[in-house]
Amino acid sequence: MASTKRVCGKCNKGAGTAMCYGCEQAFCTKHFIEHRQELAQQMEYIGQEHDVLQRDLTHDHSKHALLTRINQWEQESLTKIQIAAQAARTTLQQLLNRPKNNLQVSISKVTEELQSSRELDDYTELDIKRWTDQLQEFRKILDCPIPVNLEYEKDSRSAIRLLKITEPQPLDTHYQTTQIHELSDWKTPVSDGNFAERFEDIFGKVTLSENGLVATCFGGHADRSCVGGTGRYSTGVHYTHFRIEQTSTHYHSFFGIINASEKMTYDIWNSTSFHGWWDLDYNVISGKSNRRLSPETIRMGDEVTLMLDCINRRMQLEHHRTNRTVNMPIDLQLCPFPWKIIVLLLGKDDCVRILH
């Protein structure tokens, strides 16, 4: 049988066509060269956007308005409050630098990918779209205003009011600021309540139903099937409620997070950004499993809530039937923002539902 010729996507001529496996169109020799030149121009634009983002990432916050007020307060209060002023500077600088520090690892990874792909001329429209989406997400994080308050101690007994730097909380009536030398490591989390999580990305043998609320495995343990959520988390506190609709007696389901820029693969559970729980006494930190000898807790019909606390860089799993909660701090050098929820389903017919 004679093979069907592919016509050029621009001039509709069929002779001597070449195939682009990115956009899946055929081109004649002339228009294939033009097509690659267009991609090169798009790549150049991506490079410029990347360079601008890198420049802004190193922006100096030393002239921040609050630092000026701190310096004025220091002069007015003389040497008695110099120690408090320096503590306020340090706290403020840490808050202002937090988004940049959180993005450093992710930006470095994209930098390496862009440099390698440009040098090898190895990229397609799919790669450009992925890099564009990543840079746009990083830009949103970097440009997000940092909520910071400058407050003074309300102590009528003191001749000099102590100064403090605080982060505003969503529910001010339940949060009391602390003097800068007494700030606690974790702040009370309050959910933003504005996002409804759903399943979207899959790897392996998983089917999604009910508009992304239900994930069902039709494979086995050897497939290492997993599913990711639509959310990208880098600020605030977020709660996602799950119910285990079906689970096998031999394998656990996993609830946790990875860095959102990572692709879900067969070996995802070995990634340094892979954090979470197979069970309440069986956790994984940076791809390394830690298991205590205790009976399994999570079973079919149970409901669990995964809390992502981006403010304090930690997550929590709550098991409602036993009223048990387990916590895990997250090292941003290992799992940088933004985070993405990941669920692993290893048994045939294992099924998890997101509850809203």
Side-chain angles (χ1 to χ4, degrees), residues 256-326:
I257 61 171
I258 58 173
N259 173 254
S261 65
E262 281 216 52
K263 295 180 180 179
M264 294 190 298
T265 64
Y266 183 81
D267 292 323
I268 188 62
W269 58 22
N270 294 322
S271 168
T272 55
S273 78
F274 188 77
H275 291 69
W277 292 271
W278 294 101
D279 205 287
L280 297 187
D281 295 316
Y282 187 2
N283 66 39
V284 180
I285 300 176
S286 189
K288 297 180 180 179
S289 299
N290 304 280
R291 186 174 188 177
R292 296 193 312 183
L293 295 177
S294 61
E296 297 178 2
T297 304
I298 301 177
R299 58 196 187 202
M300 188 172 67
D302 283 357
E303 296 183 7
V304 296
T305 297
L306 184 67
M307 180 192 74
L308 305 185
D309 182 359
C310 301
I311 298 174
N312 299 301
R313 306 174 188 181
R314 63 164 180 149
M315 65 177 175
Q316 174 184 280
L317 185 69
E318 179 182 3
H319 185 248
H320 296 280
R321 178 172 53 81
T322 61
N323 291 322
R324 283 188 59 192
T325 59
V326 286

